[in-house]
Amino acid sequence: MNALDWKPNRFSSVPLHKQIEEHLKEKISNGEWTIGTKLPSQRRLANLLNVNRSTVVTALDELASQGLIEGKKGGGTRVVNTTWSLLASSPPPDWNSFVRSGIHQPNLLTVQEINHAEFRPNMIRLGTGELSPELLPYRQIQNLLRELPDHNLSLGYEEPKGNLFLRQTLSKYLKTIGIQASPASILIVSGALQALQLISVGLLHRGAAVLLEKPSYLYSVHVFQSAGMKLFGVPMDESGIQTSLLAAYQKQCDGALLYSIPSFHNPTGVCMTEKRRAQLLEVCEKERLPIIEDDVYRDLWMDCPPPSPLKANDKSGSVLYVGSLSKTVSPGLRIGWVVGPEPVIERLSDIKMQTDYGSSSLSQWAAAEWISSGLYAEQLRFIRKELKERRDAMVHYLEKYFGGIASWNVPEGGFYIWVRLTSLAATRELFEKALKEGILLNPGNLYGPDTSNYLRLSYSYASLADMEREMARLAAIIKNLLL
């Protein structure tokens, strides 16, 4: 259930429990909470509403006495009636049965909590995988839109593969990183996640096995699982995925494809070496194992560029290359791309047209002008400088406050530091305690079954002014848990 975005008014003459009762009754009566909806626990409601648990209990008792909710031992409290069902002989439809039967799996509970907490005021986000608002190019984007030539502006649909000017622009950009791709072999998507979704429903059959690095970002989203796929993690080391194990995993799991983030991996920050990339291509070609190369962090290098993309050395057309502007320019533009063999791109573009009839034409034009005008290169120079300063600051605060309780490696690019807590068995309790203190984390269990003692810390979002104070507070919370 979604977190409440409402709080009772402490200055009202109406008692707090009565305000809560009326608010919850309104959500039931207007159909937001239908029959069968499970309410948050008493403790969680108290935390969400910032009141004592006894206040919540009083409000819930009133709703129960009115026959609207019912609590069962071990099953929580659920809506059992609505005002309509109390008045009508025929009850309304049980929407929760529809929700439960939907094919798309819900986000992990922690991911849902993160998604809601990110928008709470004064929340310090130490795990967020996006640029700080102060690093986004608001002024440049506004100027760009004002100066957009009339002949470029489109308010209609674009062709199935996306705006031709943008694809031509991307074709030129991709050549700078070694990828030869004609506009016909490029599909514009609404962010990299949509690319994965299109691939999952357009190229794979239900029950197919997807190999990936362990840990991996892909464990934190259910895009493949919702399409009926199974994920199998292959161990990593400091050079990237262990290619010596890949053939055995492929045979054991009958892997349909490999998903990899070779440049500044999410969540570990590892950059796959040039040698390991060559080995990966060799093994996958031998095993006839296609690769999805998620390269959204490539341009966020700090000290030196990463090795060439896998796609740059792909001679057999076995790599689908995914890129995006979400990590470098603006997540709000929702512009990404897939590069691959033309038959594959045709297939994916057809599915995309069935899904949303194309990405925003305005965003596509803005992206094309942004890249072709040189503003993208200018933004990258700025972002690399800023991210390096933030990375160095976070590493300094880790050394200052986390000595003896954690270990980590220093990434050469991207957003993340993968921190191993040396004395903490699980990070779920830490996540909850930090959240109460206004610190939002990404616990390691989101990224695999064996990483519950890790944190993915991000230096890309929290301001430098907040970073030291909150890192010190976080270290104190961890040490208190160890007592």
Side-chain angles (χ1 to χ4, degrees):
M1 173 180 289
N2 292 342
L4 296 171
D5 55 4
W6 171 88
K7 298 284 188 300
N9 182 1
R10 293 184 174 275
F11 301 101
S12 172
S13 59
V14 180
L16 292 176
H17 76 271
K18 195 65 179 176
Q19 293 183 53
I20 295 170
E21 174 197 338
E22 291 301 322
H23 181 73
L24 299 186
K25 185 186 294 185
E26 182 180 348
K27 294 183 80 67
I28 295 171
S29 64
N30 66 18
E32 288 185 67
W33 289 1
T34 57
I35 291 175
T37 296
K38 185 176 180 180
L39 275 64
S41 68
Q42 295 173 359
R43 184 179 68 175
R44 178 158 169 73
L45 272 174
N47 288 336
L48 290 171
L49 300 173
N50 197 25
V51 297
N52 293 327
R53 185 175 175 181
S54 59
T55 304
V56 169
V57 171
T58 302
L60 296 180
D61 285 346
E62 286 295 324
L63 293 173
S65 68
Q66 297 168 36
L68 296 176
I69 63 173
E70 182 179 279
K72 292 185 178 180
K73 188 173 182 180
T77 300
R78 295 181 182 273
V79 176
V80 293
N81 276 305
T82 67
T83 51
W84 285 113
S85 62
L86 289 173
L87 293 173
S89 57
S90 298
D94 180 6
W95 283 108
N96 286 280
S97 65
F98 289 90
V99 170
R100 289 190 294 270
S101 63
I103 62 172
H104 206 289
Q105 296 185 28
N107 269 327
L108 299 170
L109 175 60
T110 303
V111 173
Q112 294 184 42
E113 291 175 304
I114 290 171
N115 289 341
H116 291 294
E118 284 183 333
F119 295 95
R120 295 183 197 168
N122 303 318
M123 183 67 67
I124 303 299
R125 294 157 63 172
L126 290 181
T128 296
E130 65 181 89
L131 290 173
S132 167
E134 61 192 69
L135 301 182
L136 297 178
Y138 290 100
R139 178 179 54 80
Q140 296 94 321
I141 290 287
Q142 289 171 352
N143 292 339
L144 184 71
L145 292 175
R146 276 196 296 266
E147 298 168 2
L148 203 62
D150 290 339
H151 67 275
N152 280 352
L153 189 60
S154 171
L155 297 179
Y157 296 120
E158 296 288 353
E159 57 182 285
K161 292 182 183 178
N163 178 275
L164 178 58
F165 177 39
L166 175 55
R167 288 185 289 121
Q168 290 170 336
T169 300
L170 285 171
S171 178
K172 294 176 183 177
Y173 159 74
L174 291 167
K175 286 180 182 178
T176 67
I177 55 175
I179 297 175
Q180 302 295 321
S182 70
S185 65
I186 300 173
L187 169 65
I188 306 303
V189 290
S190 299
L193 189 57
Q194 187 185 48
L196 301 183
Q197 186 173 38
L198 294 173
I199 291 168
S200 70
V201 299
L203 303 181
L204 300 174
H205 61 81
R206 291 190 66 83
V210 176
L211 304 182
L212 66 161
E213 290 118 345
K214 185 172 68 174
S216 175
Y217 155 78
L218 204 56
Y219 282 110
S220 70
V221 292
H222 282 158
V223 59
F224 281 105
Q225 297 97 314
S226 293
M229 315 305 162
K230 300 175 182 178
L231 304 184
F232 294 91
V234 181
M236 299 176 65
D237 59 24
E238 66 278 0
S239 297
I241 192 169
Q242 295 188 36
T243 50
S244 61
L245 305 176
L246 195 54
Y249 272 83
Q250 199 274 338
K251 287 182 173 63
Q252 180 181 348
C253 306
D254 191 22
L257 59 77
L258 169 70
Y259 169 82
S260 178
I261 309 175
S263 297
F264 316 124
H265 177 262
N266 180 6
T268 67
V270 167
C271 186
M272 191 183 295
T273 63
E274 187 171 4
K275 180 179 179 181
R276 186 64 59 85
R277 293 177 193 234
Q279 292 170 343
L280 179 59
L281 282 171
E282 182 180 352
V283 170
C284 288
E285 186 170 339
K286 181 179 179 181
E287 299 296 326
R288 300 178 63 82
L289 182 66
I291 302 171
I292 301 175
E293 180 179 12
D294 189 339
D295 214 21
V296 298
Y297 299 98
R298 152 163 293 278
D299 286 333
L300 297 174
W301 53 269
M302 298 172 196
D303 303 311
C304 60
S308 297
L310 298 171
K311 185 64 178 174
N313 296 301
D314 172 28
K315 306 305 181 186
S316 60
S318 61
V319 178
L320 291 181
Y321 182 84
V322 178
S324 172
L325 294 182
S326 294
K327 304 301 182 183
T328 53
V329 179
S330 165
L333 279 178
R334 307 310 304 135
I335 293 295
W337 51 88
V338 186
V339 180
E342 286 190 36
V344 173
I345 296 303
E346 291 284 353
R347 167 69 170 155
L348 298 181
S349 67
D350 177 61
I351 297 173
K352 179 168 171 58
M353 290 298 282
Q354 297 178 49
T355 303
D356 62 8
Y357 229 79
S359 300
S360 162
S361 58
L362 291 176
S363 290
Q364 291 188 66
W365 278 115
E369 293 286 344
W370 183 265
I371 298 172
S372 63
S373 67
L375 285 171
Y376 185 58
E378 181 181 315
Q379 167 76 355
L380 287 178
R381 288 191 291 270
F382 167 73
I383 290 300
R384 287 169 188 149
K385 176 179 176 294
E386 292 291 327
L387 287 180
K388 183 174 182 178
E389 183 178 1
R390 288 162 178 259
R391 178 205 63 184
D392 293 347
M394 180 166 278
V395 169
H396 173 69
Y397 301 140
L398 282 167
E399 293 170 346
K400 183 175 181 180
Y401 298 111
F402 285 71
I405 62 171
S407 59
W408 58 89
N409 292 318
V410 180
E412 298 174 347
F415 287 168
Y416 312 116
I417 300 179
W418 190 231
V419 176
R420 178 178 178 271
L421 302 176
T422 54
S423 302
L424 196 63
T427 50
R428 175 65 201 186
E429 185 179 6
L430 172 59
F431 171 81
E432 293 177 348
K433 288 187 177 297
L435 191 59
K436 288 182 180 178
E437 296 294 324
I439 302 173
L440 185 58
L441 302 173
N442 276 51
N445 64 291
L446 296 180
Y447 305 102
D450 305 318
T451 52
S452 60
N453 60 327
Y454 283 81
L455 289 174
R456 190 194 77 175
L457 290 182
S458 169
Y459 45 82
S460 65
Y461 196 89
S463 68
L464 285 171
D466 290 332
M467 193 178 291
E468 178 170 16
R469 180 183 68 251
E470 302 308 323
M471 290 288 285
R473 291 177 61 215
L474 177 59
I477 293 171
I478 294 172
K479 291 173 183 176
N480 284 335
L481 286 173
L482 298 177
L483 294 178

